[in-house]
């Protein structure tokens, strides 16, 4: 139970701070979701159609990302890249932030879309080819619309995780929602109030996103599955 | 002389330059729509097509019969370049389409194919199934494409299903949509790959009627089928395939009524439609006799 001396006023007073942090979180998550979907579609297609070289590179990328903690990936981008021997890469905190979640989500979405494209029965692609759509035309008009719909439910999990994983960016001091709360707590020592408010905020935001995507999913589902 | 020369050039530029003997030949209109020359095809060790030769003149319907595994479907798929041939050549309207560098999508737009499983795009309404290829690669405007689609749906008796999704239609309706979809690209030949085999018996007729009308309108067709009545009534020529070879061919009624080769006789005996009664048939390790 929340203690009787729970300071609601503190939360109320610092809502603007939470809002600032939330804005950063949403910005990074938005770019993260859009970017990881784009990467997922392109590399997923390359994997499913076994495009030489690209498919192999994509497989390596997916394995590296899936088998290392995202926190390590964030530290690598933020810490190791600027000290890259011979060719240091300097990045803005905001760039590091969205890059990290795009790269992470992209790997998972590559797998999601690969599975989706591979699940498209060959006879539909064959029908596209037989109509003279060509390989690229068949991909864009047949494999992509059908495969993406098959992949949609699993991409939802990834997209929600992208949003939640932005909280790990606090480790590099990026002022997103969690980091904002952490700063507030260290100034005020009101841990209960701050982290309660933080949790509730995430709950509302992630829940809203899930509902939103579910609506989109239902609208996009294959007609026979509606 | 001049007029004759002109008709020849529209047919095929390469042969138009020939003199004397070539000009004495019948006019270009007689260039077969499909000509298959010694085509061979294997899947691994399995020889599926073992030197197939055939010619399909414009406006005729060729019916291909044979047991499953005899190579008849593969033959159709080779004509549409869905399967590459291992050897031999295939000509479409005088042009070799099995040579290197041929524009495969362009060839396929001229060769319509209808599959056993319909293969309608499940995410598109009937109307969009029809107009997709015309708009994307035929560069036809949406309005024109939809007008033509409605006209074709009328011909297959499905005008009121334009807004339906494939899964809302019966198998027979789906197959008629598939035929209309193939006709959208104004193909010069239509390939039918066992298009009634996946249908309930009472739905077979509505599809065969559409195909019959198409043949009567002069469409060149290659039809792989088990419907012997259709073969007899609509086919101009019939070939029986077994083991990747053409075993017997001729006028459909002649081959069906008076088969010469032993393998043809056995196949036709096994085909229940031609047996007078089930009582005639016995079964042994080789199947029905």
């Amino acid at each position: 139970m929340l203690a009787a001396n729970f300071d609601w006023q503190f939360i109320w007073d610092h809502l603007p701070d939470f809002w600032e942090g939330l804005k950063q979180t949403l910005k990074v998550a938005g770019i993260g979701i859009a970017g990881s979907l784009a990467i997922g579609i392109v590399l997923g297609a390359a994997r499913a159609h076994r495009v030489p070289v690209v498919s192999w590179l994509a497989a390596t990328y997916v394995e590296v990302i899936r088998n290392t903690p995202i926190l390590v990936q964030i530290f690598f981008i933020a810490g190791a890249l600027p000290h890259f021997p011979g060719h240091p890469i300097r990045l803005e905190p905001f760039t590091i932030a969205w890059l990290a979640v795009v790269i992470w989500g992209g790997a998972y979405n590559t797998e999601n879309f690969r599975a989706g494209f591979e699940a498209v029965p060959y006879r539909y692609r064959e029908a596209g080819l037989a109509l003279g759509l060509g390989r690229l035309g068949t991909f864009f008009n047949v494999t992509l619309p059908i495969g993406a719909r098959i992949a949609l439910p699993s991409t939802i999990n990834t997209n929600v995780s992208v949003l939640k994983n932005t909280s790990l960016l606090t480790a590099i001091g990026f002022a997103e929602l969690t980091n904002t709360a952490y700063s507030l707590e260290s100034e005020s020592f009101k841990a209960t109030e701050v982290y309660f408010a933080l949790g509730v905020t995430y709950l509302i935001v992630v829940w809203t996103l899930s509902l939103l995507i579910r609506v989109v999913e239902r609208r996009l589902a294959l007609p026979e599955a509606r | 002389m001049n007029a004759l020369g002109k008709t020849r050039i529209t047919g095929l530029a390469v042969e138009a330059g020939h003199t004397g003997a070539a000009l004495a030949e019948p006019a270009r209109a007689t260039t077969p729509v499909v000509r298959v020359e010694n085509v061979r095809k294997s899947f691994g060790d399995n020889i599926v097509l073992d030197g197939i030769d055939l010619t399909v003149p414009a406006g005729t319907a060729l019916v291909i019969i044979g047991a499953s595994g005899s190579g008849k479907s593969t033959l159709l798929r080779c004509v549409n370049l869905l399967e590459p041939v291992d050897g031999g050549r295939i000509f479409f309207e005088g042009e070799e389409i099995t040579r290197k560098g041929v524009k495969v999508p362009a060839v396929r737009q001229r060769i319509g194919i209808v599959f056993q499983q319909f293969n309608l795009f499940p995410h598109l309404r009937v109307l969009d199934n029809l107009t997709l290829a015309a708009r994307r690669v035929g560069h036809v405007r949406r309005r024109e494409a939809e007008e033509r689609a409605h006209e074709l749906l009328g011909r297959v008796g499905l005008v009121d299903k334009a807004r339906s999704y494939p899964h809302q239609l019966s198998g027979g309706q789906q197959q008629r949509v598939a035929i209309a979809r193939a006709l959208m690209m104004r193909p010069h030949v239509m390939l039918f790959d066992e298009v009634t085999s996946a249908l309930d018996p009472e739905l077979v007729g509505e599809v065969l009627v559409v195909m019959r009308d198409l043949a009567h309108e002069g469409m060149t067709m290659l039809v792989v089928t088990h419907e012997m009545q259709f073969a007899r009534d609509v086919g101009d020529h019939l070939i029986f395939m077994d083991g990747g070879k053409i075993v017997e061919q001729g006028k459909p009624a002649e081959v069906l009524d008076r088969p010469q080769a032993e393998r043809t006789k056995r196949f036709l005996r096994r085909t229940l439609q031609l047996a007078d009664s089930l009582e005639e048939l016995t079964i042994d390790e080789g199947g029905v006799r």
Side-chain angles (χ1 to χ4, degrees):
Chain A
M1 272 310 295
L2 294 173
N5 59 354
F6 189 84
D7 191 349
W8 291 101
Q9 190 59 42
F10 179 83
I11 295 177
W12 181 253
D13 290 344
H14 289 88
L15 276 185
D17 295 320
F18 276 100
W19 175 237
E20 283 309 308
L22 180 61
K23 274 199 290 194
Q24 291 302 312
T25 289
L26 291 179
K27 251 193 247 175
V28 172
I31 298 173
I33 289 170
S36 65
L37 285 174
I39 289 179
I41 289 172
V42 173
L43 296 187
R47 293 278 290 130
H49 291 86
R50 297 187 176 74
V51 178
V53 188
V54 187
S55 177
W56 181 83
L57 289 174
T60 311
Y61 156 66
V62 168
E63 288 311 312
V64 168
I65 298 302
R66 288 210 302 184
N67 293 294
T68 52
I70 181 171
L71 199 53
V72 173
Q73 295 161 22
I74 293 169
F75 282 144
F76 182 83
I77 295 169
L81 287 188
H83 301 107
F84 210 70
H87 195 285
I89 303 167
R90 294 222 151 273
L91 297 171
E92 297 286 312
F94 183 71
T95 312
I96 295 169
W98 66 255
L99 207 56
V101 289
V102 163
I103 290 173
W104 182 85
Y108 282 85
N109 275 336
T110 296
E111 277 305 282
N112 294 335
F113 282 105
R114 179 193 60 76
F117 294 147
E118 284 179 352
V120 177
Y122 181 66
R123 55 198 179 92
Y124 297 139
R125 283 161 54 196
E126 195 168 72
L129 293 173
L131 286 166
L133 283 174
R135 283 157 61 97
L136 218 55
T138 299
F139 175 77
F140 281 111
N141 293 294
V142 181
T143 315
L144 179 61
I146 300 175
R149 285 166 161 96
I150 298 172
L152 213 57
S154 45
T155 63
I156 291 174
N157 290 330
T158 302
N159 292 336
V160 168
S161 296
V162 164
L163 171 58
K164 289 193 287 187
N165 280 341
T166 57
S167 81
L168 291 169
L169 295 166
T170 193
I172 55 164
F174 178 70
E176 41 67 65
L177 186 59
T178 304
N179 189 260
T180 308
Y182 182 73
S183 304
L184 270 179
E185 191 266 335
S186 39
E187 287 162 17
S188 64
F189 301 104
K190 294 204 177 277
T192 315
E193 286 81 356
V194 169
Y195 292 129
F196 172 76
L198 180 65
V200 170
T201 311
Y202 272 118
L203 195 62
I204 293 169
V205 171
V206 175
W207 206 349
T208 310
L209 177 72
S210 304
L211 285 177
L212 216 73
I213 305 179
R214 211 153 292 154
V215 171
V216 173
E217 183 193 10
R218 200 157 303 153
R219 295 205 56 171
L220 286 182
L222 284 178
E224 65 244 50
R226 262 177 220 160
Chain B
M1 191 63 181
N2 208 3
L4 185 63
K6 261 184 188 165
T7 40
R8 302 184 64 80
I9 290 166
T10 54
L12 184 67
V14 184
E15 285 179 38
H18 285 205
T19 49
L23 283 174
E25 283 168 20
R28 187 49 52 197
T30 59
T31 300
V33 176
V34 174
R35 189 156 63 83
V36 174
E37 200 181 270
N38 194 28
V39 158
R40 278 171 287 113
K41 171 78 187 174
S42 308
F43 293 116
D45 294 338
N46 184 19
I47 300 168
V48 187
L49 297 177
D50 192 6
I52 298 287
D53 291 288
L54 58 85
T55 300
V56 189
T60 65
L62 170 73
V63 176
I64 305 166
I65 62 170
S68 62
S70 60
K72 52 199 193 318
S73 285
T74 306
L75 176 60
L76 277 199
R77 296 166 55 79
C78 285
V79 171
N80 200 22
L81 305 178
L82 287 170
E83 296 286 354
V85 299
D86 294 341
R89 301 192 292 177
I90 299 174
F91 296 84
F92 173 63
E93 298 187 325
E95 185 203 356
E96 191 196 337
I97 56 174
T98 40
R99 73 184 153 82
K100 279 212 172 77
V102 78
K103 289 199 169 61
V104 174
V107 170
R108 287 187 180 137
Q109 285 169 37
R110 291 276 159 263
I111 303 178
I113 186 165
V114 184
F115 303 95
Q116 184 177 344
Q117 296 291 337
F118 333 131
N119 300 9
L120 296 178
F121 304 126
H123 61 298
L124 297 179
R125 295 177 193 277
V126 165
L127 190 66
D128 300 320
N129 259 279
L130 262 68
T131 58
L132 177 70
R135 290 170 52 203
R136 291 288 184 274
V137 291
H139 305 294
V140 180
R141 287 170 193 281
R142 176 190 275 271
R143 232 177 56 109
E144 276 171 61
E146 291 189 348
E147 267 172 32
R148 178 161 168 73
H150 277 115
E151 181 194 315
L152 284 170
L153 285 175
R155 277 173 59 182
V156 299
L158 290 171
V159 139
D160 54 329
K161 298 294 184 190
R163 308 294 301 163
S164 302
Y165 282 100
H167 77 278
Q168 297 168 322
L169 306 180
S170 73
Q173 290 172 331
Q174 288 191 52
Q175 197 58 294
R176 285 185 280 152
V177 171
I179 294 172
R181 181 176 71 174
L183 291 172
M184 273 298 287
M185 302 305 283
R186 303 180 191 277
H188 294 188
V189 60
M190 285 283 282
L191 314 177
F192 293 90
D193 187 6
E194 295 198 34
V195 296
T196 57
S197 299
L199 298 178
D200 289 337
E202 83 274 18
L203 303 177
V204 168
E206 65 190 52
V207 174
L208 292 181
V209 164
V210 168
M211 292 164 65
R212 178 203 65 198
D213 291 349
L214 209 52
H216 288 167
E217 286 163 26
M219 175 62 79
T220 310
M221 319 203 313
L222 277 72
V223 185
V224 169
T225 188
H226 294 294
E227 301 294 335
M228 297 306 166
Q229 195 59 44
F230 178 85
R232 188 185 293 268
D233 294 350
V234 181
D236 295 297
H237 194 77
L238 180 141
I239 65 177
F240 167 68
M241 284 179 67
D242 190 41
K245 289 191 163 87
I246 297 177
V247 174
E248 191 163 351
Q249 57 182 311
K251 289 257 165 247
E254 272 166 38
V255 178
L256 294 175
D257 295 338
R258 288 177 294 282
Q260 303 299 310
E262 193 49 46
R263 280 189 284 180
T264 320
K265 289 178 188 171
R266 202 183 326 142
F267 171 76
L268 290 175
R269 258 203 314 275
R270 287 176 185 177
T271 305
L272 198 54
Q273 287 102 312
L274 286 182
D276 289 330
S277 82
L278 195 52
E279 301 298 324
E280 283 180 18
L281 302 172
T282 56
I283 198 157
D284 65 11
E285 60 268 38
V288 179
R289 294 238 148 231

